[in-house]
């Protein structure tokens, strides 16, 4: 087996091991962070754990389907899935379930699901499908286009104002639509993830950040002003900047998260022994699940989980580098950043490096829709890695086969003339 084939096999197995261990760690952490709350409400201590197991079982069916099928089939489904996701997001705004002041869920038959989680994966599929042909043609891919691209000059000489790049690339408009719909729920954290993933895929395709620095900075400034326009979002910035001055009000969640992380020490307090889940840390099993894990598993457990997410980023990028077709390459980059980006944002949020934005930690945070989509995304990434490995094995075998000779040459070699 040549080194390239070994590398492709290693990518697949390392990704599979990382996803498997994250599921095991996440399941145990869900039980540890919820059994106190379940018992306090008079139910079974295994309530959340049972539901997590149900979601895992339900997620295996679509995950196995995605893993078995050729990932190229999703190219013809990308537009339909995008339209379906837009319909779901509009339905959420019209008749969604309100929880803690946010309208993010749709319910049916006692079950609820969050369409914004679907939007994260759909935006990757849609962008990869539409961006791949442009990359194959080696066209001019940029984040922002000049007005001359839409209104060419009849004289052949473009005026200076038409050269300014401030019109977003048309392929950025569909992700922007999804981001706006999610932002209106409101869910700023998920909306930023939906907008971040296509930008990374554009950058991989050759888009230059330097050429778009002025419109990007202007867009960022407008986004920051809009984020600070709402009082509750402004309070998050204030509590992030100085949480200890508001430890009993605005910064309570951040402070309790930092206390949980710090109290874990190197070895941790032990699985199920952390005290922060005893009504001290809000959202201990969802957005701040990492704080419970750090308290009970300590620094060694936190570093181990960081290694697992780093493995997904490294071997996912390595798989993208070795993927032959452009669609698969962009799809691999998007899914890798889907896990790595959300993971790093959540860890930075819980650690106080970033404001609290409500981005879950993949496989670790509790959530049925999130777990289902994580399993599907992992299966799709493993599908690409496995098919790349199979193609590398077939190519290696073809190169090792001896050249075929004609029947005349074969006869002469077997019966030489004397």
């Amino acid at each position: 087996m040549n080194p390239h084939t070994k590398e492709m096999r290693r990518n697949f197995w390392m990704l599979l091991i990382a996803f498997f261990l994250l599921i095991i760690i996440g399941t145990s952490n869900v039980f540890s962070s919820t059994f106190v709350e379940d018992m306090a409400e008079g139910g079974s201590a295994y309530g959340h754990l049972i539901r997590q197991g149900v979601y895992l079982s339900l997620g295996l069916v679509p995950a196995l389907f995605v893993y078995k099928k050729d990932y190229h089939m999703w190219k013809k489904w990308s537009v339909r899935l995008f339209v379906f996701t837009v319909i779901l997001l509009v339905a959420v705004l019209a008749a969604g379930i309100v929880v803690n002041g946010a309208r993010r869920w749709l319910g049916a038959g006692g079950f609820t699901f969050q369409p914004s989680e679907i939007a994260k994966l759909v935006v990757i599929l849609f962008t990869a499908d539409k961006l791949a042909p442009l990359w194959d043609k080696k066209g001019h891919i940029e984040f922002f286009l000049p007005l001359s691209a839409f209104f060419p000059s009849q004289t052949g000489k473009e005026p200076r104002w038409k050269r300014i790049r401030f019109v977003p690339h048309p392929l950025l408009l569909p992700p922007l639509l999804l981001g706006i719909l999610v932002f209106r729920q409101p869910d700023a954290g998920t909306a930023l993830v939906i907008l971040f993933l296509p930008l990374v895929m554009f950058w991989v395709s050759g888009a230059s950040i330097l050429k778009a620095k002025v419109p990007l900075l202007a867009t960022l400034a407008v986004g920051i002003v809009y984020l600070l326009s709402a009082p509750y979002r402004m309070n998050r910035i204030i509590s992030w900047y100085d949480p200890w001055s508001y430890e009993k009000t605005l910064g309570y969640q951040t402070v309790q998260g930092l206390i949980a992380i710090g109290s874990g020490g190197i070895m941790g307090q032990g699985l199920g022994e952390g005290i922060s889940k005893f009504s001290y840390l809000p959202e201990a099993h969802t957005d701040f699940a990492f704080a419970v894990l750090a308290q009970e598993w300590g620094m060694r457990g936190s570093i181990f989980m960081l290694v697992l997410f780093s493995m997904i980023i490294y071997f996912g990028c390595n798989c993208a580098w070795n993927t032959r077709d452009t669609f698969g390459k962009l799809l691999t980059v998007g899914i890798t950043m889907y896990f790595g980006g959300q993971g790093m944002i959540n860890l930075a949020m819980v650690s106080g490096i970033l404001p609290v934005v409500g981005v879950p930690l993949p496989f670790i945070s509790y959530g049925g829709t999130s777990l289902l989509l994580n399993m599907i995304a992992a299966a799709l990434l493993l599908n690409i890695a496995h098919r790349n490995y199979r193609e590398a094995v077939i190519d290696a075998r073809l190169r090792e086969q001896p050249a075929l000779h004609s029947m005349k040459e074969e006869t002469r070699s077997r019966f030489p003339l004397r």
Side-chain angles (χ1 to χ4, degrees):
M1 188 178 294
N2 60 46
H4 178 69
T5 306
K6 291 181 179 179
E7 182 182 20
M8 300 304 297
R9 184 178 65 175
R10 184 175 67 248
N11 291 338
F12 171 78
W13 283 108
M14 289 297 102
L15 287 171
L16 180 62
I17 291 172
F19 286 132
F20 177 76
L21 291 177
L22 282 174
I23 291 176
I24 297 299
I25 294 173
T27 304
S28 63
N29 195 66
V30 165
F31 170 69
S32 180
S33 59
T34 57
F35 74 88
V36 173
E37 177 185 348
D38 290 339
M39 294 178 66
E41 293 176 354
S44 169
Y46 304 97
H48 279 81
L49 180 62
I50 293 174
R51 286 195 288 271
Q52 187 80 349
V54 170
Y55 288 126
L56 276 173
S57 302
L58 293 175
L60 282 176
V61 177
L64 289 174
F65 174 81
V66 170
Y67 177 74
K68 291 291 184 180
K69 295 294 182 179
D70 186 355
Y71 63 89
H72 293 96
M73 66 169 286
W74 298 109
K75 295 178 68 175
K76 63 181 180 182
W77 287 93
S78 64
V79 176
R80 302 175 190 177
L81 289 173
F82 177 83
V83 174
F84 177 69
T85 304
V86 171
I87 295 174
L88 288 179
L89 293 176
V90 172
V92 168
L93 296 178
I97 300 174
V98 179
V99 178
N100 295 330
R103 192 185 298 271
R104 303 175 185 173
W105 293 268
L106 289 175
F111 290 91
T112 60
F113 67 99
Q114 195 171 355
S116 58
E117 293 293 331
I118 303 175
K120 297 176 187 176
L121 187 55
V122 168
V123 77
I124 297 172
L125 289 171
F126 181 85
T127 305
D129 177 31
K130 301 305 177 185
L131 191 58
L134 296 179
W135 193 3
D136 287 334
K137 293 178 182 178
K138 297 183 178 179
H140 192 62
I141 301 174
E142 294 293 347
F143 294 111
F144 292 84
L145 301 177
L147 279 178
S148 59
F150 303 92
F151 305 101
S153 176
Q154 302 297 328
T155 61
K157 185 178 181 181
E158 301 291 348
R160 182 179 295 272
W161 64 273
K162 281 191 177 183
R163 303 175 194 171
I164 302 176
R165 300 176 181 272
F166 62 88
V167 180
H169 195 285
L171 285 184
L172 289 176
L173 298 181
L176 182 62
L177 173 62
L178 293 181
I180 292 174
L181 291 175
V182 173
F183 193 83
R184 291 290 299 168
Q185 294 180 0
D187 191 354
T190 303
L192 291 176
V193 171
I194 291 173
L195 296 176
F196 165 76
L197 294 172
L199 292 179
V200 173
M201 298 167 73
F202 263 75
W203 177 73
V204 171
S205 302
S208 174
I209 296 178
L210 294 178
K211 291 183 179 180
K213 59 182 178 181
V214 174
L216 281 177
L217 290 174
T219 305
L220 181 62
V222 172
I224 292 175
V225 171
Y226 186 75
L227 285 173
L228 298 181
S229 61
Y232 78 93
R233 291 194 291 265
M234 187 65 185
N235 290 338
R236 288 186 177 184
I237 300 297
I238 295 174
S239 62
W240 164 66
Y241 179 73
D242 187 11
W244 296 99
S245 297
Y246 304 91
E247 59 178 321
K248 296 186 180 299
T249 54
L250 300 177
Y252 178 80
Q253 190 175 26
T254 301
V255 169
Q256 291 299 321
L258 294 174
I259 291 175
I261 294 173
S263 62
I266 297 177
M267 305 303 292
Q269 298 179 359
L271 182 63
E273 300 296 329
I275 62 173
S276 291
K277 57 178 171 284
F278 287 86
S279 301
Y280 290 103
L281 178 63
E283 307 297 335
H285 61 297
T286 54
D287 293 344
F288 275 70
F290 170 69
V292 176
L293 185 144
Q295 186 177 53
E296 298 184 347
W297 295 55
M299 182 183 293
R300 59 175 181 173
S302 302
I303 293 177
F304 181 68
M305 196 188 64
L306 281 173
V307 169
L308 293 178
F309 277 103
S310 300
M311 286 173 59
I312 294 175
I313 296 174
Y314 175 78
F315 291 106
C317 291
N318 200 15
C319 179
W321 178 265
N322 291 283
T323 301
R324 300 180 180 183
D325 65 293
T326 309
F327 173 72
K329 191 182 296 291
L330 290 172
L331 199 58
T332 304
V333 170
I335 297 175
T336 300
M337 291 299 104
Y338 169 89
F339 289 111
Q342 288 188 99
M344 296 308 166
I345 291 174
N346 181 273
L347 296 179
M349 174 189 76
V350 177
S351 303
I353 301 174
L354 291 177
V356 179
V357 291
V359 175
L361 187 58
F363 294 114
I364 306 299
S365 296
Y366 175 80
T369 311
S370 175
L371 181 60
L372 290 175
L373 270 296
N374 288 338
M375 295 179 68
I376 293 173
L380 188 54
L381 183 56
L382 291 172
N383 183 341
I384 299 172
H386 186 253
R387 288 187 177 274
N388 288 333
Y389 166 63
R390 287 175 54 188
E391 291 176 1
V393 171
I394 293 174
D395 289 346
R397 289 176 179 175
L398 290 176
R399 285 193 297 268
E400 293 173 358
Q401 288 181 355
L404 297 177
H405 302 284
S406 65
M407 184 177 294
K408 185 176 181 180
E409 292 174 340
E410 186 69 21
T411 303
R412 287 178 176 177
S413 64
R414 289 177 179 270
F415 306 99
L417 296 176
R418 296 184 184 274

